[in-house]
Amino acid sequence: MKPTDRDLLTSSHWGTYRVEVADGRVTALRDFEEDPDPSPIGHGIVDVLEGPTRITTPMVRKSWLEGGPGTAGEKRGEEDFVAVTWEVANKLVADELNRVRQDFGNQAIYAGSYGWASAGRFHHAQSQLKRFLNCIGGCTSSKNTYSFAAAEVVVPHILGTFRGFLDTATSWESIASDCELFVAFGGVPLKNGQISQGGTGAHVQRAGVSAARDAGVRFVNISPLRSDLMEEVEAEWLAPRPSTDAALMLGLAHTLLAEGLQEQTFLDRYTTGFDRFTRYLNGAADGIAKNAAWAADICALPADTIRDLARRMAGSRTMISVAWSLTRQDHGEQPFWAGITLAAMLGQMGLPGTGIGFGYSAMNNIGLNRHQLDFASFPQGENPVKDFIPVARVTDLLENPGGQFDYDGQSYAYPDIRLVWWAGGNPFHHHQDLNRMRLAWAKPDTIIANEWCWNALAKHADIVLPCTTPLERSDIAMSPKDPYLVAMDQAIKPIGQARDDHQIFRGIATAMAVHDAFTEGRSAEEWQRWIWDVSRQRVSQFGIELPNWDSFQKDGWLKVPTPDKPEIMMADFRKDPDANPLATPSGKIEIFSDTISGFDYDDCPGHPIWLEPLEWLGSAEPDQLHMISNQPRNKLHSQLDHGPVSRADRPRGVEPVTMHPEDAAKRDLHEGQIVRIHNKRGACLAELRTNADIRLGVIQIATGAWFDPDGDTCRNGNPNTLTPDKGSSSLAQGPIAHSCLVKVSSA
Ligand SMILES: Nc1nc2c(c(=O)[nH]1)N[C@H]1C(S)=C(S)[C@@H](COP(=O)(O)OP(=O)(O)OC[C@H]3O[C@@H](n4cnc5c(=O)[nH]c(N)nc54)[C@H](O)[C@@H]3O)O[C@H]1N2
Ligand SMILES: Nc1nc2c(c(=O)[nH]1)N[C@H]1C(S)=C(S)[C@@H](COP(=O)(O)OP(=O)(O)OC[C@H]3O[C@@H](n4cnc5c(=O)[nH]c(N)nc54)[C@H](O)[C@@H]3O)O[C@H]1N2
Ligand SMILES: [Mo]
């Protein structure tokens, strides 16, 4: 079926590559000729497609196989597995699903299955899992993301939508032509711009930042790490205490108000509730003015620096960027609400190159000028089960069946979970306080994982179903977030007995007599053609003509033309707020939200506010440090941590941790030493790197090292042994990994 007269292609969240194959094996990936700034991450897969870390046959945990569901869950992660045939595996899974459905109901199955899986419109593991489960009565699901749950829940109350404004972020072209001052809370980390969910053709973030700089835009990098903005732009670097950005923003807002620098005509026309917010800001409500001196005490920046920045922001055409990391902290709703309020006070929202943007370079698609195309996806069907959790409440769910939780104005109960299924995510990567999660993980009767490599998720399952990587199947990279559509070629045969997720579910569907409902009579290739054809019809309504399937396969890729005009977020609302109101109750920007105020949450009242985080330098013991566990530059989360690109950065096997030389000297620690990072929740090992480009009192260790527990200590350096597991607030219940205090000693 595949054309042989062109080089093979593959696409991934980190880029598109040409695939070289010899004797049925992948020998190398070559950078895609269209990509001006290709990512090295992709090359990490070549060496690990086969070998000891690859899962090649269905596997069942020994005690579970011998004793059945519910046997010795506490041995998960430690016990050996027994290889079985697909026939046996399918029957075990089918029988267990039937038992759980009949005895407890479908809500006893938790298949939120959060995670990034691989690029490809059809073989999207989570869609395959959900469609299959929806064919047999559904499951308890999850809402929101680990990326930005707090923003995802609060911003729709303020602006009507969050994701909509991610997709329509003001483009880099507009910033280069119309912005003067770019103030980046959390920086513009190019390491993160390597990624775009669903596939990336050409990386644009570096060029976007450079062009803005060349056009004279000045950058302010507000972050504990200098490296969060590329060196070439010579950004001004301000390093407040982590998790205090809301206080800093309030101090900036107070300065604007005190000096009469706010754009009152904008506030009057486009916002609601500014008056009630000013009662808090100027201290009328509680006797404390949130002025620059007040903010300076909290975030440990000089008050003059805060006042000066506020004045420059008011005196320039200013863009504010708020990084997604600011949501992954305690009360992570507040920096977004305060940031929007600050931008509203500057009055430039909806104008070219200015206003606010959420997370420039958090991914390649933020600020990437492109059409928003509504491509078809593999239909998931309807989930009849209404039970859900906010995604980061998974340990609470397993620990506390029947327990109550608050979420976005309502109260719900956790169902009693008997069976957990993951396909395309790694909770032993993404979740916080892994030692606590591991205890809760011992409770369900059965845990099933579709995985391709022996990471901690696979090791902690009862039934492991070996899946393929994208190089072993064909697919289409087709994402509304990227202009490139790429034929993902099958480069090699599946390794061992691995099956793609679709085929895995076909097998189980057959064993449960729902095969026809699951497949609708289409083969995998027919489904891909269906996705292509439906997409083609849909986008033709917007004047975009896609080639037919065969010519697409022949050419291998295409680029959807770029829109003529650069995107400007909220331009329509700015032009005519009556004709184009926001989807909020008032139709305006809600600086005070009656809806949120009505929820009566102490930890998220009706306007932006500073609330002390659970853990931060302001409450630290003298030898505690604030740990930032940010995204790794050499991989995506835990994916390909076992490959050579990731390994090259840690020759001694453990993840590096960066510390200021003065903090190291105080502890008598030195460069290159293996250290133990620890707190009351656990510990991990790391290799010390000293560097003065990190704020004093802060350490940085990337996420992604595979969890490898020795007691409460991860030997590889997974920081989620240390991070707290608590909701950001009763509103969003988002994860708060970035609000974390630790100590560091020699190992
Ligand atoms: N401390 C700390 N923790 C964090 C964060 C942080 O900043 N700090 N960030 C959080 C964020 S933003 C996120 S999004 C999460 C990410 O967390 P995840 O998305 O869960 O992490 P990944 O490692 O990408 O997990 C994807 C898994 O899918 C598997 N996989 C790949 N392709 C396929 C496939 O085709 N089929 C199947 N069945 N499996 C496949 C991979 O092997 C891998 O195990 O982590 C969160 N955790
Ligand atoms: N290479 C690579 N790129 C990725 C990913 C990956 O795993 N690898 N993951 C992708 C995913 S799923 C997501 S959600 C995005 C996430 O994108 P982000 O949320 O932006 O990711 P982080 O790297 O956690 O944070 C960015 C920077 O914020 C700074 N920061 C942390 N806490 C604070 C704070 O309290 N105040 C201030 N001012 N700054 C702070 C840190 O120094 C950090 O480097 O990245 C995406 N891009
Ligand atoms: Mo994320």
Side-chain angles (χ1 to χ4, degrees), residues 154-161 165 264-274 337 340 344 349 570 573-574 576-595:
V154 79
V155 176
H157 289 291
I158 309 163
L159 296 182
T161 167
F165 289 128
Q264 196 61 46
T265 49
F266 182 90
L267 291 166
D268 292 343
R269 176 124 201 244
Y270 298 96
T271 75
T272 170
F274 183 66
W337 204 345
I340 292 165
M349 295 165 94
M570 298 182 114
F573 172 63
R574 172 92 195 199
D576 189 345
D578 303 317
N580 309 303
L582 301 181
T584 55
S586 61
K588 298 182 177 186
I589 299 168
E590 303 227 336
I591 295 175
F592 188 96
S593 162
D594 284 317
T595 310

Side-chain angles (χ1 to χ4, degrees), residues 41 114 116 146-148 184-187 189-195 222-225 228 238 240-245 323-326 328-329 359-363 429 626 628-638 700 703 738:
I41 294 176
Y114 180 80
W116 269 65
Y146 278 77
S147 310
F148 41 51
F185 293 89
L190 290 187
K191 69 176 174 61
N192 293 356
Q194 293 175 94
I195 303 299
I222 302 177
S223 164
L225 301 181
D228 277 335
L238 302 180
R241 285 171 169 159
S243 296
T244 66
D245 297 79
W324 301 351
S325 55
L326 270 59
R328 292 198 300 286
Q329 48 178 257
Y360 280 96
S361 200
M363 293 204 196
H429 166 78
H626 193 119
I628 295 297
S629 50
N630 58 353
Q631 309 293 342
R633 66 181 178 83
N634 52 16
K635 56 186 166 271
L636 174 71
H637 316 133
S638 70
Q700 174 273 333
T703 57
H738 281 320

Side-chain angles (χ1 to χ4, degrees), residues 453-707:
C453 50
W454 280 114
N455 58 17
L457 168 69
K459 288 185 179 166
H460 284 79
D462 300 321
I463 303 178
V464 182
L465 304 174
C467 67
T468 54
T469 70
L471 294 167
E472 299 150 58
R473 61 198 186 212
S474 56
D475 208 335
I476 324 164
M478 187 188 209
S479 155
K481 299 185 188 306
D482 198 85
Y484 285 85
L485 311 187
V486 180
M488 296 169 63
D489 298 316
Q490 179 176 357
I492 54 170
K493 287 207 300 264
I495 302 294
Q497 295 178 47
R499 292 181 173 179
D500 60 60
D501 294 283
H502 181 72
Q503 207 191 344
I504 292 174
F505 291 116
R506 271 179 189 253
I508 303 164
T510 305
M512 296 185 77
V514 292
H515 177 272
D516 293 352
F518 180 67
T519 65
E520 287 178 40
R522 290 190 185 95
S523 69
E525 194 196 332
E526 283 163 349
W527 270 114
Q528 289 172 39
R529 281 174 181 259
W530 179 89
I531 290 172
W532 182 262
D533 290 340
V534 174
S535 301
R536 221 175 138 214
Q537 278 169 22
R538 281 196 201 164
V539 305
S540 71
Q541 294 164 17
F542 301 93
I544 292 180
E545 298 305 326
L546 298 182
N548 68 27
W549 173 256
D550 290 332
S551 24
F552 171 60
Q553 289 297 322
K554 187 163 164 290
D555 297 343
W557 64 273
L558 66 95
K559 186 183 179 192
V560 175
T562 308
D564 303 335
K565 280 200 242 131
E567 188 74 62
I568 297 165
M569 175 176 148
M570 298 182 114
D572 292 346
F573 172 63
R574 172 92 195 199
K575 245 176 249 143
D576 189 345
D578 303 317
N580 309 303
L582 301 181
T584 55
S586 61
K588 298 182 177 186
I589 299 168
E590 303 227 336
I591 295 175
F592 188 96
S593 162
D594 284 317
T595 310
I596 296 180
S597 173
F599 298 158
D600 213 14
Y601 294 143
D602 291 344
D603 54 4
C604 191
H607 57 78
I609 185 175
W610 159 253
L611 294 165
E612 209 179 308
L614 181 71
E615 294 183 15
W616 67 302
L617 287 173
S619 70
E621 295 163 22
D623 57 343
Q624 279 183 318
L625 296 152
H626 193 119
M627 181 182 79
I628 295 297
S629 50
N630 58 353
Q631 309 293 342
R633 66 181 178 83
N634 52 16
K635 56 186 166 271
L636 174 71
H637 316 133
S638 70
Q639 299 198 45
L640 305 181
D641 178 52
H642 56 318
V645 174
S646 170
R647 294 273 140 173
D649 281 342
R650 43 185 172 109
R652 298 176 66 188
V654 291
E655 187 64 31
V657 59
T658 304
M659 184 186 275
H660 195 283
E662 285 177 31
D663 283 323
K666 246 188 254 169
R667 291 165 180 77
D668 214 11
L669 300 172
H670 54 84
E671 173 81 20
Q673 179 179 353
I674 304 293
V675 294
R676 190 161 176 271
I677 313 175
H678 52 101
N679 63 19
K680 62 185 176 201
R681 291 175 288 271
C684 73
L685 301 182
E687 184 184 330
L688 190 69
R689 307 258 167 98
T690 54
N691 188 331
D693 286 342
I694 185 167
R695 190 193 190 284
L696 264 177
V698 177
I699 60 166
Q700 174 273 333
I701 177 169
T703 57
W706 281 10
F707 179 61

Side-chain angles (χ1 to χ4, degrees), residues 123-446:
H123 289 290
H124 178 237
Q126 220 188 72
S127 302
Q128 297 286 347
L129 170 66
K130 288 186 177 167
R131 179 179 171 91
F132 165 71
L133 287 174
N134 290 341
C135 290
I136 62 159
C139 63
T140 291
S141 60
S142 64
K143 283 199 189 194
N144 307 131
T145 60
Y146 278 77
S147 310
F148 41 51
E152 231 174 331
V153 181
V154 79
V155 176
H157 289 291
I158 309 163
L159 296 182
T161 167
F162 174 62
R163 286 177 181 255
F165 289 128
L166 282 185
D167 284 335
T168 57
T170 299
S171 68
W172 279 114
E173 288 85 349
S174 175
I175 292 168
S177 64
D178 287 278
C179 173
E180 293 172 327
L181 181 64
F182 191 110
V183 180
F185 293 89
V188 184
L190 290 187
K191 69 176 174 61
N192 293 356
Q194 293 175 94
I195 303 299
S196 186
Q197 199 157 20
T200 309
H203 289 87
V204 303
Q205 295 296 321
R206 185 185 304 277
V209 179
S210 298
R213 166 69 192 184
D214 293 348
V217 179
R218 281 159 301 127
F219 284 83
V220 183
N221 174 27
I222 302 177
S223 164
L225 301 181
R226 191 194 282 276
S227 62
D228 277 335
L229 242 165
M230 66 193 254
E231 225 180 306
E232 294 85 326
V233 304
E234 292 164 349
E236 177 184 342
W237 180 36
L238 302 180
R241 285 171 169 159
S243 296
T244 66
D245 297 79
L248 174 55
M249 289 163 172
L250 291 168
L252 293 166
H254 187 281
T255 306
L256 297 179
L257 185 68
E259 301 188 5
L261 297 174
Q262 82 276 17
E263 203 50 61
Q264 196 61 46
T265 49
F266 182 90
L267 291 166
D268 292 343
R269 176 124 201 244
Y270 298 96
T271 75
T272 170
F274 183 66
D275 290 352
R276 292 174 81 178
F277 168 65
T278 53
R279 286 180 44 74
Y280 166 75
L281 193 64
N282 63 25
D286 59 1
I288 303 167
K290 314 306 175 297
N291 57 24
W294 168 87
D297 268 355
I298 294 169
C299 56
L301 287 177
D304 281 345
T305 304
I306 299 173
R307 280 188 284 262
D308 171 63
L309 180 60
R311 289 172 197 142
R312 282 190 289 147
M313 289 170 82
S316 313
R317 292 198 302 267
T318 301
M319 172 62 86
I320 296 172
S321 176
V322 190
W324 301 351
S325 55
L326 270 59
T327 71
R328 292 198 300 286
Q329 48 178 257
D330 202 13
H331 312 303
E333 295 81 3
Q334 300 308 324
F336 273 66
W337 204 345
I340 292 165
T341 302
L342 190 56
M345 290 175 77
L346 295 177
Q348 300 169 345
M349 295 165 94
L351 297 179
T354 59
I356 193 164
F358 304 125
Y360 280 96
S361 200
M363 293 204 196
N364 188 48
N365 53 65
I366 305 295
L368 164 64
N369 204 28
R370 62 184 197 277
H371 288 289
Q372 302 295 323
L373 296 176
D374 177 25
F375 296 126
S377 46
F378 183 55
Q380 295 184 10
E382 285 292 314
N383 184 359
V385 174
K386 295 300 158 228
D387 296 81
F388 73 93
I389 58 165
V391 68
R393 302 275 47 83
V394 59
T395 298
D396 287 351
L397 163 76
L398 299 179
E399 275 177 353
N400 192 15
Q404 300 282 313
F405 65 94
D406 291 319
Y407 172 75
D408 201 15
Q410 292 199 49
S411 180
Y412 304 88
Y414 293 120
D416 187 1
I417 298 301
R418 297 290 158 155
L419 186 152
V420 172
W421 200 330
W422 238 282
N426 182 0
F428 288 88
H429 166 78
H430 62 234
H431 196 59
Q432 282 60 66
D433 200 349
L434 288 178
N435 291 312
R436 185 179 146 205
M437 185 182 91
R438 213 164 161 232
L439 291 177
W441 193 260
K443 290 178 71 180
D445 296 342
T446 299

